């Protein structure tokens, strides 16, 4: 749903960022967003600001070595005299994963012919940030804001959307997204592919966030400046960095992050939700968004009520690999008309339906290995399967899938499915166990 | 030589035509004036003459043929030859053999079954219709039980038509083979065997599936599947072949066994070689049956999670070997 703002060469059609969130009503009731003004009537402040700041923003180009040309682009901005610049991790992820195939360079406005090679110094994969550095010192750079501005503050997002040149976009600060698993600032303004890694600044030119993603319709998201500040401070300490060290840094950040989520989940009591004759795990933590529905199809001799919760967020590792996901769903299947054998084939068919998993490719993960058994949960027999796959580049991290179906009744039952992406095996098992034990029969 | 001899036209050691010669001299050639006519374009119109000498011996003479006459072993061109029992000569592309009435034939071969032939099960009256009916009913029942939507008459009809069609085509092909090899169609027998085979295709996975689920059997069940399928294929092919060839049953079993073992090994080649394609899907047995089918007790949650420890080792091993 979220569109990351990396502009890949193969996806340069000017549409992606404008993708409306499926199912979302158009925001007719919120005319709060300032409509973009024609250039001629820009208030002096904005155009002065742009003049002052445009030299501090640059375009990042990821160069594929064999073709010698750019494979994707993003934005970056300078934050120190030593040539440090901030951008998004997803802009430079190719370099972290395939340093032998890709390099990065910066191109500044008006100096198209002078591309400056840069290296990746440090990354914060959880918050999608990276620090890159050029060798030459920089005279003109951004200051990071010391604190979050109040909601409604006029902000200016800068970057290079769709390779159209450096632009400035007005919008408003709308605070941190509530109940998010990974901190994000809600920015009401148009952010488009290619602006990834660009700064969003206050009218006095201090950075309050880094452009990261959009849901279309002026719904933009920024990485809060506090994470940027931490990363820049850490990056200044880094003397040498090699690509393999970066991969290890990413791995340890993922391990820390999953530990944080695990502790958060296990510390909270797991509320249950009534579904048919059963109790199932409900909204475990505020960062989970839950939805439910029962499709009404009078022709079908059965009903399926579904309930699902998901963090609705993930961590970008590479173009084809996401992690840091907690999601689960339940389906209460029942029928008054089907006999027990025909119900069993329905029950088997719904059990064979897997919710969409987490993106990954052969070079990221192994195949799943599963164990399926009859397990007694809360006094009722269930058919339970637990599957695990390991990350190839990040030892110690796994994806877990848990599937269970109750077997105590012959024409009704509840099936549940838990997906955990990017957890240590022990943590994943602990969460899965707590989750499974929340299942109960109400009769 | 005898008073009467037999001239045999050979084709690769098999007798293609046999002529009784009792009046001499006798002539052999392509022309219609001959006693024995050979339709071989390399044979002369008048090629050989067989005549009895005064002392009773039979002599074969070449009557001036274009391409000549040859003794077969050892190969040599000849103008005349005294005929002995089992003598062979070649004219054109044809080999001729001469045998007298006193030629001794081989001993009678003793048959393997010295009892009266039994009526084979598949030849009983109505075997084909009965087996086919059982098969169709089973397919129909399966279709009914696995459809949990509104009754779908189309797929029910298909569940009847498809097995019948497959049975008739399959047994038709085998019948043609029988007709070619043994001059009888045996359509009823092939039909009964084929229907039984089709029934097995449905019942075997169903039965093994139920047993695996009910007893909570492990992953080794796939070998059981393989063995049962191969055994079943062997059984069906054995009976089809009994109606096609005259090979001894023992020999047929050995040959079929070897062929099926090779076939089974080929189908398992990639897993035996440790090849596994990448897949992001979750692969486990999804079978779910009514509560009455659970014949083993459920494990406590503790035991289940302890058992899953091994999964971690398995995937760690995978991650290491492929990177």
């Amino acid at each position: 749903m979220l569109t990351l703002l990396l502009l890949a060469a193969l996806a340069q059609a000017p549409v992606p960022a404008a993708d409306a969130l499926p199912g979302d009503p158009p925001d007719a009731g919120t005319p709060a967003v300032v409509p973009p003004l024609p250039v001629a009537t820009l208030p002096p402040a904005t155009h002065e600001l742009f003049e002052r700041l445009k030299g501090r923003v640059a375009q990042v180009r990821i160069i594929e070595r064999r073709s010698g040309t750019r494979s994707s682009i993003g934005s970056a901005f300078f934050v120190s005299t030593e040539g440090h610049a901030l951008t998004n991790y997803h802009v430079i992820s190719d370099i972290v994963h395939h340093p032998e195939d890709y390099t990065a360079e910066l191109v500044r406005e008006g100096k198209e012919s002078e591309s400056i090679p840069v290296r990746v110094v440090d990354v914060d994969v959880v918050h999608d940030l990276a620090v890159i550095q050029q060798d030459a010192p920089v005279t003109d750079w951004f200051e990071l804001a010391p604190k979050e501005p109040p909601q409604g503050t006029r902000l200016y997002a800068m970057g290079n959307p769709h390779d159209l040149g450096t632009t400035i976009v007005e919008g408003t600060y709308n605070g941190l997204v509530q109940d998010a698993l990974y901190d994000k600032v809600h920015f009401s303004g148009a952010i488009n592919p290619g602006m990834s890694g660009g700064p969003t600044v206050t009218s006095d030119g201090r950075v309050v966030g880094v452009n990261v993603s959009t849901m279309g319709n002026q719904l933009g998201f920024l990485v809060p400046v506090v994470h940027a500040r931490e990363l820049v401070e850490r990056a200044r300490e880094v003397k040498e960095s090699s690509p393999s060290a970066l991969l290890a840094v990413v791995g340890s950040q993922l391990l820390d992050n999953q530990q944080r989520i695990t502790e958060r989940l296990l510390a909270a009591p797991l509320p249950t939700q009534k579904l048919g004759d059963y109790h199932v795990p409900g909204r475990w933590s505020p960062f989970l968004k839950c939805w439910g529905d029962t499709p009404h199809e009078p022709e079908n001799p059965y009903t399926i009520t579904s309930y699902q919760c998901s963090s609705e967020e993930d961590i970008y590792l590479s173009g084809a690999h996401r992690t840091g996901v907690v999601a689960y769903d339940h389906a209460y299947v029942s029928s008054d008309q089907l006999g027990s054998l025909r119900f069993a084939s329905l029950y088997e068919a719904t059990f064979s339906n897997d919710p969409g998993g987490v993106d990954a490719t052969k070079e990221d993960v192994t195949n799943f290995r599963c164990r399926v058994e009859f397990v007694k949960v809360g006094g009722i027999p269930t058919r339970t399967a637990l599957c695990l796959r390991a990350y190839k580049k990040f030892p110690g991290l796994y994806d877990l899938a848990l599937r269970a179906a109750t077997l105590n009744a012959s024409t009704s039952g509840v099936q549940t499915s838990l997906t955990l992406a990017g957890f240590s095996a022990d943590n994943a098992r602990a969460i899965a166990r707590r989750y499974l034990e929340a299942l109960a029969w109400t009769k | 030589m005898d008073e009467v001899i037999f001239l045999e036209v050979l084709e690769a050691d098999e007798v293609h035509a046999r002529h009784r010669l009792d009046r001499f001299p006798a002539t052999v050639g392509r022309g219609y004036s001959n006693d024995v006519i050979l339709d071989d374009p390399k044979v002369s119109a008048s090629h050989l003459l067989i005549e009895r000498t005064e002392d009773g011996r039979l002599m074969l003479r070449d009557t001036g043929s274009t391409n000549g006459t040859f003794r077969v072993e050892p190969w040599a061109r000849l103008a005349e030859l005294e005929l002995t029992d089992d003598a062979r000569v070649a004219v054109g592309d044809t080999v001729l053999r001469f045998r007298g009435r006193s030629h001794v034939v081989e001993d009678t071969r003793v048959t393997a079954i010295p009892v009266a032939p039994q009526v084979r099960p598949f030849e009983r009256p109505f075997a084909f219709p009965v087996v086919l009916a059982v098969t169709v009913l089973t397919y129909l029942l399966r279709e009914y039980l696995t459809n949990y939507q509104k009754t779908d008459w189309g797929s029910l009809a298909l569940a009847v038509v498809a097995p019948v069609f497959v049975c008739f085509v399959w047994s038709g092909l085998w019948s043609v083979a029988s007709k070619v090899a043994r001059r009888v169609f045996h359509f009823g027998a092939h039909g009964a065997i084929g229907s039984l085979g089709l029934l097995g295709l449905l019942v075997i996975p169903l039965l093994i599936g139920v047993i695996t689920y009910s007893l909570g059997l492990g992953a080794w069940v796939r070998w059981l599947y393989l063995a049962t399928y191969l055994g079943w294929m062997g059984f069906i092919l054995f009976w089809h072949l009994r109606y096609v060839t005259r090979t001894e049953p023992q020999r047929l079993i050995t040959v079929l066994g070897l062929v099926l073992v090779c076939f089974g090994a080929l189908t398992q080649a990639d897993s035996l070689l440790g090849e596994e394609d990448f897949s992001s899907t979750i692969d486990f047995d999804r079978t779910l049956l009514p509560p009455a089918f659970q014949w083993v007790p459920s494990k406590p949650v503790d035991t289940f999670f302890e058992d899953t420890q091994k999964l971690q080792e398995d995937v760690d091993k995978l991650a290491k070997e492929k990177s």
Side-chain angles (χ1 to χ4, degrees):
Chain A
M1 279 185 279
L2 281 179
T3 309
L4 288 167
L5 299 172
L6 171 71
L7 186 61
L10 298 176
Q12 265 186 358
V15 207
D19 275 358
L21 179 65
D24 258 14
D27 53 352
T30 53
V33 177
V34 180
L37 296 166
V39 176
T41 61
L42 270 180
T46 307
H47 106 246
E48 282 169 18
L49 195 66
F50 182 73
E51 274 308 306
R52 191 149 64 84
L53 301 181
K54 70 176 182 192
R56 306 176 185 177
V57 182
Q59 187 185 50
V60 185
R61 290 180 177 171
I62 305 301
I63 308 294
E64 200 266 327
R65 285 185 203 256
R66 268 170 283 188
S67 65
T69 188
R70 59 192 183 168
S71 68
S72 63
I73 57 170
S75 301
F77 58 98
F78 291 103
V79 289
S80 80
T81 45
E82 297 100 58
H84 289 109
L86 263 173
T87 185
N88 287 135
Y89 168 81
H90 76 253
V91 171
I92 53 88
S93 67
D94 281 340
I95 295 170
V96 175
H97 288 278
H98 302 286
E100 67 288 353
D101 292 337
Y102 296 95
T103 56
E105 57 184 39
L106 282 180
V107 179
R108 298 174 81 163
E109 176 79 5
K111 299 175 183 170
E112 297 293 324
S113 53
E114 298 169 33
S115 57
I116 311 148
V118 287
R119 62 185 179 280
V120 179
V121 183
D122 203 349
V123 296
D124 179 349
V125 69
V126 175
H127 298 105
D128 201 354
L129 289 174
V131 169
I132 51 182
Q133 191 178 17
Q134 69 175 57
D135 288 328
V138 181
T139 50
D140 195 14
W141 42 274
F142 280 103
E143 253 181 77
L144 302 181
K147 60 178 184 359
E148 304 290 331
Q151 184 158 10
T153 305
R154 173 69 60 89
L155 296 181
Y156 307 86
M158 298 181 74
N160 197 331
H162 293 294
D163 201 17
L164 295 173
T166 307
T167 53
I168 188 162
V169 177
E170 287 186 52
T172 43
Y173 179 87
N174 270 302
L176 288 176
V177 176
Q178 288 190 346
D179 298 333
L181 179 54
Y182 307 114
D183 283 350
K184 271 186 306 188
V185 166
H186 177 186
F187 170 76
S188 301
I191 295 187
N192 284 298
M195 288 174 78
S196 267
T200 295
V201 300
T202 55
S203 52
D204 59 358
R206 288 168 195 258
V207 176
V208 294
V210 182
N211 308 337
V212 65
S213 61
T214 180
M215 283 166 89
N217 283 337
Q218 309 259 343
L219 266 174
F221 295 102
L222 316 173
V223 183
V225 70
V226 48
H227 300 297
R229 196 182 308 113
E230 280 169 20
L231 179 65
V232 171
E233 276 163 19
R234 212 165 65 213
R236 284 183 164 170
E237 309 294 315
V238 175
K239 296 286 172 242
E240 278 298 313
S241 69
S242 72
S244 63
L246 279 176
L247 219 50
V249 166
V250 171
S252 76
Q253 288 173 355
L254 293 176
L255 274 170
D256 290 347
N257 178 60
Q258 61 87 28
Q259 187 63 35
R260 179 179 70 93
I261 300 174
T262 307
E263 281 163 13
R264 198 164 152 189
L265 283 175
L266 294 183
L270 174 48
T272 57
Q273 171 80 22
K274 193 169 170 350
L275 198 62
D277 305 330
Y278 298 86
H279 281 305
V280 293
R283 192 177 176 194
W284 196 341
S285 180
F287 71 75
L288 292 162
K289 315 289 182 293
C290 298
W291 308 88
D293 195 15
T294 307
H296 294 283
E297 283 165 37
E299 283 205 344
N300 288 346
Y302 56 86
T303 56
I304 300 179
T305 304
S306 60
Y307 177 88
Q308 60 196 58
C309 295
S310 164
S311 54
E312 293 185 359
E313 287 172 85
D314 54 25
I315 297 174
Y316 180 101
L317 279 181
S318 69
H321 190 196
R322 308 297 159 97
T323 186
V325 174
V326 179
Y328 47 89
D329 62 68
H330 318 294
Y332 174 68
V333 188
S334 67
S335 171
D336 303 330
Q337 295 170 45
L338 297 177
S340 63
L341 279 171
R342 289 181 75 193
F343 178 80
S345 33
L346 162 69
Y347 207 45
E348 183 175 314
T350 46
F351 199 46
S352 309
N353 255 345
D354 281 328
V358 180
D359 292 348
T361 64
K362 189 182 167 116
E363 58 174 50
D364 304 313
V365 292
T366 65
N367 277 5
F368 275 108
R369 285 286 181 269
C370 299
R371 186 165 185 100
V372 58
E373 307 248 28
F374 292 112
V375 180
K376 189 149 241 147
V377 179
I380 54 171
T382 65
R383 186 78 168 161
T384 302
L386 190 142
C387 304
L388 215 55
R389 69 178 177 194
Y391 285 27
K392 289 182 177 172
K393 291 179 191 157
F394 308 108
L397 287 174
Y398 301 84
D399 284 351
L400 175 144
L402 180 82
R403 302 273 182 280
T406 61
L407 295 176
N408 59 322
S410 57
T411 57
S412 70
V414 73
Q415 298 180 346
T416 185
S417 146
L418 168 72
T419 304
L420 296 172
F423 283 78
S424 77
D426 288 335
N427 283 347
R429 266 201 301 266
I431 296 171
R433 180 163 181 177
R434 173 78 86 80
Y435 176 85
L436 187 62
E437 283 174 339
L439 197 64
W441 196 37
T442 55
K443 280 183 185 164
Chain B
M1 263 321 253
D2 273 324
E3 307 226 325
V4 177
I5 64 162
F6 293 92
L7 186 162
E8 295 168 333
V9 182
L10 298 187
E11 259 182 23
D13 267 10
E14 296 284 316
V15 176
H16 184 60
R18 183 177 284 128
H19 303 275
R20 180 187 160 102
L21 301 180
D22 49 7
R23 277 186 296 183
F24 298 99
T27 56
V28 178
R30 197 156 42 87
Y32 285 92
S33 60
N34 292 292
D35 295 317
V36 174
I37 302 166
L38 298 176
D39 287 331
D40 179 342
K42 292 179 186 168
V43 168
S44 296
S46 167
H47 202 121
L48 294 173
L49 174 74
I50 304 162
E51 58 186 1
R52 194 175 286 280
T53 57
E54 284 167 9
D55 50 358
R57 292 176 300 153
L58 280 174
M59 294 299 292
L60 175 131
R61 286 204 175 81
D62 190 306
T63 56
S65 66
T66 313
N67 293 317
T69 305
F70 298 83
R71 189 171 64 214
V72 175
E73 261 176 27
W75 188 262
R77 183 160 187 160
L78 50 84
E80 63 172 33
L81 174 76
E82 184 189 339
L83 288 181
T84 51
D85 192 44
D86 230 20
R88 291 183 192 206
V89 294
V91 287
D93 289 331
T94 310
V95 175
L96 305 176
R97 182 170 72 187
F98 297 91
R99 277 180 175 176
R101 276 196 297 198
S102 58
H103 182 81
V104 184
V105 293
E106 279 177 41
D107 289 342
T108 312
R109 237 181 260 177
V110 181
T111 59
I113 316 154
V115 289
Q118 291 174 328
V119 179
R120 289 170 174 165
F122 298 115
E123 284 171 17
R124 298 227 171 93
F126 301 112
F128 180 29
V130 168
V131 182
L132 186 61
V134 171
T135 306
V136 166
L137 281 179
T138 317
Y139 271 86
L140 204 57
L141 187 69
R142 202 274 308 251
E143 187 57 43
Y144 172 73
L145 288 180
T146 54
N147 173 37
Y148 46 82
Q149 306 283 8
K150 209 175 57 145
T151 313
D152 182 348
W153 295 105
S155 62
L156 285 179
L158 190 68
V160 174
V161 173
V164 171
F165 179 76
V166 169
C167 273
F168 271 81
V169 170
W170 174 261
S171 12
L173 292 174
W174 279 106
S175 299
V176 170
S178 283
K179 175 72 179 171
V180 169
R182 297 185 65 171
R183 296 183 191 164
V184 189
F185 276 111
H186 289 302
F187 183 75
H190 281 302
I193 300 168
S195 321
L196 194 66
L198 208 58
L199 183 64
L201 277 189
L202 179 68
V203 170
I204 290 175
L206 222 59
L207 272 184
I208 301 187
V210 167
I211 292 172
T212 310
Y213 174 83
S214 303
L215 298 177
L217 302 181
W220 57 268
V221 168
R222 77 188 191 94
W223 299 109
L224 183 65
Y225 270 106
L226 184 67
T228 321
Y229 273 124
L230 289 182
W232 189 252
M233 256 172 78
F235 173 75
I236 296 301
L237 289 180
F238 172 77
W239 279 105
H240 276 309
L241 288 172
R242 286 296 302 270
Y243 288 96
V244 174
T245 74
R246 283 183 200 276
T247 320
E248 298 292 323
Q250 290 301 329
R251 207 173 143 202
L252 200 57
I253 289 173
T254 319
V255 171
L256 264 179
L258 281 174
V259 169
L260 287 175
V261 166
C262 293
F263 177 72
L266 279 179
T267 59
Q268 298 303 306
D270 44 341
S271 84
L272 289 174
L273 292 172
E275 292 286 322
E276 188 184 5
D277 286 338
F278 175 74
S279 154
S280 56
T281 56
I282 296 160
D283 181 24
F284 67 92
D285 181 9
R286 311 281 179 139
T287 312
L288 288 178
L289 292 171
F293 282 85
Q294 189 193 337
W295 302 336
V296 289
S298 304
K299 290 188 173 178
V301 177
D302 278 332
T303 323
F304 176 69
F305 277 93
E306 273 162 31
D307 290 349
T308 60
Q309 296 273 5
K310 173 136 193 322
L311 293 177
Q312 192 184 346
E313 293 162 24
D314 289 350
V315 291
D316 280 344
K317 212 181 289 168
L318 282 182
K320 278 197 195 94
E321 75 190 28
K322 283 181 186 170
S323 55

